[in-house]
Each structure stands twice: as structure tokens, then as C-alpha cells.
Amino acid sequence: MKDYLSYDDGTDTLYELFNGELIAVPPESGFNVEVANLLFTLLLPLVGYRRVRGQGLELEVQGEPRNRYPDLTVIREEHIAQLKQRNTIRLSMVPPVLVIEIVSPGEVQRNRDYVAKRIQYQDLGCQSIGLSIRRRDRSWCWR
């Protein structure tokens, strides 16, 4: 993990470290970004702009992959200073307050977002929400 944290390929590409290999994280869909932005604006008055982080926040997790990029995260006050140089919450740090994943359509994605990620986030000791949105009727399901 130490080598990974010092890696810089000169791009803004996000990577997950899976079994020692770097796997590029595909960009979010426009719809998921739209939903994340809406939730961001709803959380702002509650916790302030410095404590709400979008997908660029990296969480070091146990298991594989070794890191995740949640769609939205509410961090603790103490994280603000800790994240000045690198937007990564390490296992040695206290966990974030809340992690939100907007569940992508498809069985594989649903399993990844509802099961695999939730287990990793719970192992950190933080609350997590999987948000599934049906695009046709825009109904929301919180889990």
C-alpha cells in the first residue's frame, strides 16, 4: 500500500489497488453525478462544505480492493487537516461519519455496491448507505 500511495502517473485517473495491481476506476455516469450533487447540496447546511467530500475522496479498506472511492462521504472535523496533502483516509485514522454509494444498475454492480463495499465500510466502523434509484420513475430506495 505504501508504494501505491506514493504512485503518481501524472494524470487525474483514480485507481483501485486489487491484488497488487492498479485498476483504473471508470468515471461515474452523469446521472450518478447528478444524484451525488443533489445529496451534496442537502448535506451542506447540516455539516458544512469542508466535511462533505465527493468521489475523489479515497478510503483505505481491508480486503480487495484495498481502497474505495465512495460517491459521497461525510468526514469528521479532524479529517480536514489530515486530508490537506492527500485526500485519503487511512486505516490508521478514525473512520468517516457516513459513506454514501449510489448503486449502479446491473446485478454485478448491485452486488458490489450493496454487499462488497458495505462490508468494507462496516469493517472501518462507519455508517454506509446504498442508494438505489430507478431512472424511469426516479424512485429512491435507501438501505
Side-chain angles (χ1 to χ4, degrees):
M1 190 71 181
K2 185 178 179 181
D3 289 340
Y4 163 76
L5 290 172
S6 63
Y7 177 76
D8 182 3
D9 66 358
T11 71
D12 290 332
T13 304
L14 301 177
Y15 294 97
E16 287 181 341
L17 182 61
F18 192 84
N19 289 326
E21 292 186 42
L22 294 178
I23 308 296
V25 175
E28 288 290 324
S29 71
F31 183 79
N32 281 15
V33 171
E34 182 182 326
V35 173
N37 287 344
L38 171 64
L39 295 173
F40 189 97
T41 62
L42 294 173
L43 288 167
L44 279 178
L46 301 174
V47 298
Y49 76 94
R50 298 175 76 200
R51 292 190 48 216
V52 182
R53 300 287 169 112
Q55 195 204 21
L57 174 77
E58 178 180 35
L59 294 180
E60 182 181 10
V61 294
Q62 296 177 9
E64 297 294 337
R66 297 291 317 271
N67 60 316
R68 295 286 190 180
Y69 296 92
D71 294 315
L72 210 58
T73 306
V74 176
I75 63 172
R76 297 177 189 277
E77 190 71 33
E78 63 205 74
H79 290 138
I80 295 168
Q82 294 172 328
L83 301 176
K84 289 281 185 204
Q85 291 188 338
R86 183 178 173 107
N87 202 28
T88 301
I89 295 179
R90 303 287 314 269
L91 288 171
S92 59
M93 299 163 71
V94 296
V97 174
L98 177 66
V99 174
I100 299 173
E101 288 289 350
I102 299 161
V103 179
S104 301
E107 191 62 33
V108 171
Q109 294 83 346
R110 204 171 268 286
N111 188 45
R112 178 196 64 213
D113 291 345
Y114 276 137
V115 179
K117 288 182 180 181
R118 175 168 280 186
I119 290 169
Q120 288 180 309
Y121 297 152
Q122 286 175 342
D123 284 348
L124 289 177
C126 63
Q127 295 292 318
S128 66
I129 295 175
L131 178 62
S132 177
I133 301 172
R134 293 186 191 141
R135 295 174 191 215
R136 274 188 234 132
D137 60 9
R138 299 211 187 240
S139 62
W140 295 39
C141 174
W142 296 81
R143 291 191 182 184

